[in-house]
Amino acid sequence: MTCTIAPRSVNLQGVCLVDEAHGWAVGDGGMILATTDGGLRWHSQGSTDKDLRAVCFADTERGWIAGRDGVILHTTDGGRHWEQRGTGTDRNLYGISFDPAGRTGWAVGDSGTILVSSDGGLTWQRQHSDGTHFTRCFTLDEKTAWIIGKRGAIHATTDAGATWVVQQSDAEIDLRGIYAVSPDLCWAVGRMGTVLRSEDGGGTWTRADSGTGLDLYGLWAAPDGREVRTSGDDGVILASHDGGRTWTPQSSGTAKDVVSLAFMPDTRHGWMVGDSGLILATPDGGETWTPQLSGIHKDLAGVHGSGDARWAVGRDGLLAVTTDGGATWQVGDTGSGAQLWDVTFLSDARRGWAVGDAGLVLATEDGGSSWHRQDAPTEVPLLSVHFDGDRGWAAGAEGTILATTDAGTTWRLTDTPTEVPLLSVHFEGDRGWAVGAEGTILATTDAGATWQGQTAGARTTLTCVHAGTGGAARVVGRAGTVLTTKDGGVTWEPQDSGTEVSLWGVAFTASGEHGWAVGDGGTVLATKDGGVTWEPQDSGIADNLKGVWAQPDGAQVYAVGDGSSVIATGNRGATWSSHVASTGRNLYGVHIFPTGRDGWVVGDGGTVLATRAGRRWAQQPSGTAANLYSVSPADHTTAWAVGRAGTILVTRDAGLSWQRQPSGSGKDLLEVHMRPDALTGWAVGDRATILGTRDGGTTWLHQPSPYTDCALWAVDFADDRTGWAVGTGGTVFATRDGGVTWETQDSGGTDDLIDIHAVDPATAWAVGHRGTVAHTRDGGRTWERRESPTRQNFTAVHFTPDGRTGRVVGRSDTVMTSHDGGTTWQVGTTGTGMSLWNVRTFSERESWIVGDEGTVLSTSDGGATWDQHFYSPEKDAIPVR
């Protein structure tokens, strides 16, 4: 099927359904999506880049959104205009809710933040709280509301927030969803399948058996309180027909996390939203769910257009199509799971071709609705394709150029004087060029019957060529290379591009006067004089751009790239706008070897990235779609990764292949630590799970935890015997015998501890929520709290081997550095604005960080500047026979 895709294909966090036709969904990167036809079409609204976490509407005109850094947005015209309201806080907000009249509402978030508005969201005031981290809120009427948060926190008010009463749920698990239908009847859900129910307004809460151990987030109940629904990790959705006393699973048809849901009062029509821009709809109370919005995040490599239609192709056979000039985009099915490198269409917008790995040539005669494979006399990757009527050419690895004169019914190999990869081919009439590795330029004047080499003096890889009229051509390549010729290639002139980044695409108008080149890091260059001079343009994104296409008159120009990025301009590049703005998958685990040239990174959806010998990061096949949270190598070829639902993977060939190991656990595993012997290791996770191995993971055995009502977020060992594990509620477990026994230690607080770093058997550092930094110098017999210059939630800590230089990272682009063994700390940022999840520190000057939306960063100057490391498929890094 074909699904409309989001203008920004990132994780969705909140959904609101006003009636059967009108709804809104919000998420990462400022995504605001709206529908007025029940989800048949979704369009983007707003202009913020802040991550948005919750949305609510009183009717089809009045709505509110809350998100990162204290942002609250307000609309009174159905989202046509969104205005940011002053909140007086920069704390992240995760929940927002208004009474049915739309007058009184609350927003809640980090560090006990409670904001109230009594004028429809025009102004906001803070209310007192105890500092609990709040996750969601629900407003029943202008006086009655509930707030939930960490470690089972439930607060309630019946006097418009003048007082908040702490309700006892007897649940120590983080709560993620709250819903009420009357002052008495309400429900709450949270981590590890927690479902709570109250019939007296929260005076007493009873736990129901959900039948799952997966985290639950979304929650909704019918007005009469009988029908209740909840959703969560791995696409789980549960239904109750008796007011939440008993629960049965429903099939969502997805394995993605579903974090929010909403239904109509008829209990039949509903929506759920979640990871990767997912929106599901049901017409029958959840018995069946249909994707309305699937989201895409895969890298795009080629783009072409005709009339009002545009086509883009990329990883795993991805096809993105628009037929209205980019207003809406759809995901199409090419029927191939192979990497597609280029696409071209004729002016009729019906006939088109795409090429890719393993000699793949696909053709369509209906504008891309259906595709069929054409026989090609090669199995090497084909990297570029160009057609002129029924005549066509394709270029690829090993100096390959294919030609056809019958629209691809038959393809023949042509003789070329090279065996290097050819990355691009383009024709104007009978004259054409092909360019590739090692500065290779081939030219033909007889429609490709014969090819001759030309000399341009460049030795770098040339990535794209555009043939103009009268023997003119332009070429771009790595290291900012730009070459032009006006005499058919007899002479080539290098041009000053003003950049040294790799350029991957070039396009010109029919007159040859205006042109554009695109490349890494969102680079867009423009020329108004045929390529003699080039000026940078602001693309508005940082993603690598891999292809560009321009209308013959230059009225519209499109560029595509990593993570499904599509940007366009209608004014020759004076301004560029995102049609599909990408966000890479969140990355949680990193290990960089001390040289800084080899390493692994893992993250959402089974993502495994690797770098070797300092080369660019590249994806590796993990063989799983489960989120991976931690990676720990024993050496440069052997490593383990752990993640969702007990997932443990191992590689023994530097990541060329990963194999699953039986963990014996269905709990989320949040960190793994392996010793250099490649035999001994530990993994920790939910429900205080501790697994140990002495045989390289062939067998993993449960090790006894002092207690099980906590989640363990991190584990680290100083040697084969001395280690610590930390988790929720300030938990610290320690072992002196390699995990045979674990004992509790007093961390000196109750804030969640998210990471631990063992410097030596006596010295360790732990960090966590609300700026917590704890330290021991006596093996954990005593832990001391260190003053932190921020109350931001920390996620990772790492010190140099000598214990002098340490770095801590956290939410909202927080970086703390100490150069005196942790005595004093200085807070800073990387400038990305992303939440940061892990850090590795090698020296006073060198560190690596990973985080949200595919962020991979390094510094070589002590954090004064941070370099972004991109990962994506590259034409000159393809596997060849």
Side-chain angles (χ1 to χ4, degrees):
M1 66 175 296
T2 300
C3 299
T4 307
I5 64 173
R8 297 186 176 100
S9 296
V10 291
N11 297 339
L12 290 169
Q13 306 286 349
V15 63
C16 178
L17 183 59
V18 177
D19 55 35
E20 291 185 20
H22 295 82
W24 284 262
V26 300
D28 294 346
M31 179 193 292
I32 305 174
L33 303 177
T35 182
T36 57
D37 56 14
L40 295 178
R41 291 181 299 271
W42 292 84
H43 58 276
S44 63
Q45 295 181 338
S47 59
T48 183
D49 61 355
K50 300 291 186 182
D51 292 344
L52 304 176
R53 295 301 185 232
V55 56
C56 66
F57 270 74
D59 49 44
T60 58
E61 299 298 314
R62 296 176 297 153
W64 304 265
I65 296 172
R68 196 170 72 185
D69 298 334
V71 67
I72 291 182
L73 305 177
H74 179 214
T75 182
T76 56
D77 58 9
R80 289 184 292 276
H81 301 89
W82 286 92
E83 296 183 10
Q84 185 164 335
R85 298 302 182 188
T87 61
T89 182
D90 59 359
R91 299 296 185 189
N92 296 335
L93 301 176
Y94 300 106
I96 192 167
S97 178
F98 270 76
D99 70 339
R103 290 290 302 170
T104 303
W106 282 269
V108 299
D110 278 344
S111 304
T113 299
I114 303 176
L115 304 176
V116 65
S117 175
S118 56
D119 57 9
L122 296 177
T123 61
W124 294 84
Q125 295 80 39
R126 293 199 68 149
Q127 291 186 328
H128 177 72
S129 79
D130 60 3
T132 298
H133 174 88
F134 295 122
T135 54
R136 291 291 188 190
C137 56
F138 185 87
T139 305
L140 184 68
D141 55 43
E142 61 182 9
K143 292 185 178 297
T144 310
W146 287 264
I147 298 172
I148 58 170
K150 303 287 285 186
R151 296 189 295 279
I154 304 178
H155 296 196
T157 184
T158 55
D159 56 13
T163 58
W164 287 93
V165 177
V166 177
Q167 298 182 336
Q168 300 302 317
S169 67
D170 294 327
E172 292 296 322
I173 301 300
D174 297 348
L175 298 177
R176 303 291 178 81
I178 180 75
Y179 203 92
V181 296
S182 72
D184 296 321
L185 189 55
C186 47
W187 301 262
V189 297
R191 283 178 55 82
M192 302 183 194
T194 299
V195 177
L196 304 175
R197 181 178 185 270
S198 178
E199 296 181 358
D200 58 8
T204 57
W205 291 87
T206 58
R207 188 189 293 261
D209 182 8
S210 67
T212 182
L214 294 171
D215 293 353
L216 300 175
Y217 305 99
L219 183 61
W220 174 89
D224 63 5
R226 290 196 55 78
E227 294 292 325
V228 191
R229 302 291 186 272
T230 183
S231 64
D233 282 350
D234 296 347
V236 65
I237 179 169
L238 306 176
S240 176
H241 309 295
D242 57 8
R245 295 178 177 86
T246 61
W247 296 84
T248 57
Q250 293 183 324
S251 176
S252 66
T254 182
K256 296 177 180 178
D257 296 349
V258 181
V259 299
S260 186
L261 78 168
F263 278 77
M264 289 297 298
D266 65 4
T267 76
R268 306 293 295 170
H269 296 86
W271 290 331
M272 299 193 298
V273 301
D275 285 358
S276 301
L278 176 72
I279 298 183
L280 301 173
T282 181
D284 53 20
E287 294 300 319
T288 60
W289 291 88
T290 303
Q292 289 188 320
L293 197 70
S294 65
I296 57 174
H297 58 266
K298 296 176 180 177
D299 301 333
L300 295 171
V303 61
H304 200 264
S306 178
D308 288 331
R310 313 283 182 265
W311 301 265
V313 296
R315 193 191 294 271
D316 299 330
L318 175 64
L319 171 71
V321 184
T322 178
T323 57
D324 53 14
T328 60
W329 287 81
Q330 296 176 324
V331 176
D333 184 9
T334 62
S336 167
Q339 170 75 48
L340 298 177
W341 291 108
D342 198 15
V343 62
T344 188
F345 271 76
L346 300 183
S347 58
D348 61 9
R350 304 291 296 171
R351 292 194 295 166
W353 293 262
V355 296
D357 283 351
L360 180 64
V361 180
L362 300 175
T364 181
E365 297 176 356
D366 55 14
S369 297
S370 62
W371 295 80
H372 61 274
R373 183 161 187 162
Q374 295 185 329
D375 290 331
T378 185
E379 293 183 356
V380 304
L382 297 175
L383 306 174
S384 179
V385 62
H386 179 80
F387 264 79
D388 179 10
D390 288 342
R391 298 190 306 172
W393 303 265
E398 301 181 10
T400 299
I401 297 181
L402 307 181
T404 180
T405 56
D406 54 14
T409 302
T410 58
W411 289 87
R412 58 180 173 81
L413 276 168
T414 63
D415 291 330
T416 66
T418 186
E419 294 184 355
V420 304
L422 297 174
L423 278 61
S424 177
V425 62
H426 199 252
F427 274 75
E428 176 64 34
D430 290 341
R431 186 188 295 274
W433 282 270
V435 299
E438 301 175 9
T440 300
I441 301 178
L442 305 182
T444 180
T445 56
D446 53 15
T450 59
W451 293 87
Q452 298 80 37
Q454 292 185 338
T455 301
R459 299 300 300 168
T460 188
T461 296
L462 303 178
T463 57
C464 192
V465 59
H466 182 93
T469 58
R474 293 89 176 177
V475 173
V476 298
R478 282 192 173 272
T481 300
V482 177
L483 306 171
T484 63
T485 183
K486 297 180 180 179
D487 54 14
V490 175
T491 58
W492 287 89
E493 297 290 336
Q495 307 296 333
D496 182 9
S497 68
T499 183
E500 294 185 357
V501 305
S502 293
L503 301 175
W504 295 102
V506 63
F508 273 77
T509 58
S511 68
E513 182 181 5
H514 292 272
W516 295 264
V518 299
D520 282 354
T523 298
V524 177
L525 306 177
T527 181
K528 300 177 181 178
D529 52 16
V532 177
T533 59
W534 294 84
E535 297 292 336
Q537 293 185 331
D538 183 7
S539 68
I541 66 172
D543 304 292
N544 297 338
L545 296 173
K546 295 299 179 63
V548 61
W549 170 85
Q551 283 184 323
D553 61 0
Q556 284 193 327
V557 186
Y558 281 73
V560 301
D562 287 358
S564 304
S565 291
V566 180
I567 62 173
T569 180
N571 53 17
R572 298 188 185 275
T575 57
W576 290 82
S577 60
S578 288
H579 283 217
V580 181
S582 84
T583 295
R585 296 187 175 192
N586 296 343
L587 303 175
Y588 304 115
V590 59
H591 185 96
I592 307 294
F593 290 94
T595 62
R597 295 174 58 78
D598 292 352
W600 275 286
V601 168
V602 298
D604 279 348
T607 299
V608 177
L609 308 176
T611 182
R612 289 293 179 269
R615 293 189 294 270
R616 288 172 62 95
W617 290 85
Q619 287 192 308
Q620 293 186 329
S622 68
T624 182
N627 293 349
L628 299 175
Y629 300 123
S630 174
V631 60
S632 179
D635 53 46
H636 287 253
T637 60
T638 309
W640 283 259
V642 300
R644 176 68 57 79
T647 299
I648 299 181
L649 306 178
V650 63
T651 180
R652 302 185 190 279
D653 54 13
L656 295 178
S657 61
W658 290 81
Q659 292 80 40
R660 186 183 292 268
Q661 292 185 328
S663 68
S665 174
K667 302 295 189 297
D668 289 357
L669 298 177
L670 304 175
E671 187 158 52
V672 60
H673 175 87
M674 297 297 298
R675 300 301 296 164
D677 63 7
L679 296 173
T680 309
W682 300 265
V684 299
D686 279 349
R687 294 287 186 183
T689 299
I690 305 177
L691 305 177
T693 182
R694 297 288 182 182
D695 56 13
T698 301
T699 56
W700 288 87
L701 302 177
H702 282 266
Q703 295 185 338
S705 301
Y707 51 84
T708 60
D709 57 345
C710 69
L712 295 177
W713 285 96
V715 61
D716 199 24
F717 273 69
D719 53 33
D720 292 346
R721 299 182 62 81
T722 307
W724 289 270
V726 298
T728 53
T731 297
V732 177
F733 295 161
T735 181
R736 299 290 180 181
D737 53 17
V740 176
T741 59
W742 291 83
E743 63 180 13
T744 61
Q745 294 182 338
D746 183 4
S747 69
T750 59
D751 289 308
D752 291 355
L753 298 176
I754 307 301
D755 197 27
I756 179 88
H757 176 62
V759 179
D760 55 49
T763 309
W765 291 86
V767 298
H769 286 174
R770 298 200 295 181
T772 297
V773 178
H775 177 225
T776 181
R777 293 188 183 275
D778 55 15
R781 287 188 294 274
T782 59
W783 285 86
E784 300 176 0
R785 295 299 176 106
R786 292 298 174 90
E787 286 295 323
S788 167
T790 177
R791 297 288 285 171
Q792 189 57 258
N793 290 345
F794 294 140
T795 56
V797 57
H798 197 256
F799 272 77
T800 54
D802 63 7
R804 292 291 300 167
T805 299
R807 287 194 172 85
V808 174
V809 299
R811 296 275 190 171
S812 300
D813 195 21
T814 301
V815 181
M816 280 207 324
T817 302
S818 175
H819 295 295
D820 54 13
T823 302
T824 59
W825 294 87
Q826 299 80 43
V827 68
T829 70
T830 66
T832 63
M834 299 297 171
S835 286
L836 308 173
W837 291 105
N838 217 321
V839 60
R840 285 295 179 268
T841 302
F842 302 120
S843 69
E844 184 177 358
R845 301 182 64 80
E846 297 175 301
S847 288
W848 285 76
I849 294 173
V850 298
D852 278 358
E853 304 184 10
T855 298
V856 181
L857 305 166
S858 70
T859 183
S860 58
D861 56 14
T865 59
W866 292 89
D867 296 322
Q868 179 90 45
H869 298 270
F870 301 99
Y871 55 94
S872 60
E874 295 182 352
K875 290 184 176 181
D876 57 348
I878 57 172
V880 295
R881 294 184 301 174

